[in-house]
Amino acid sequence: MQNLEHRYAGRQDRQEARRQLLGSLALLLVVLGLAAACAVAYFHARGGFIR
């Protein structure tokens, strides 16, 4: 019975680690998206991409 509980706890740990990883990846994508938007706005303000 103790082995079954240990196995269940390990599965919960893996699910929590996966949830934290997905949260971190989502936050990274948001930050990269904002950086790309800022870069586009900066180049647009300087006269566009093509001169």
Side-chain angles (χ1 to χ4, degrees):
M1 191 69 172
Q2 192 175 12
N3 188 18
L4 184 63
E5 291 172 359
H6 179 70
R7 206 178 296 168
Y8 183 70
R11 186 170 59 203
Q12 279 185 324
D13 289 344
R14 282 195 302 272
Q15 287 176 347
E16 180 64 27
R18 184 178 297 148
R19 184 169 29 247
Q20 288 179 357
L21 179 64
L22 288 175
S24 297
L25 287 175
L27 185 61
L28 179 63
L29 286 175
V30 168
V31 170
L32 288 176
L34 288 173
C38 289
V40 167
Y42 174 73
F43 284 117
H44 179 70
R46 289 191 59 190
F49 292 101
I50 302 173
R51 291 181 174 215

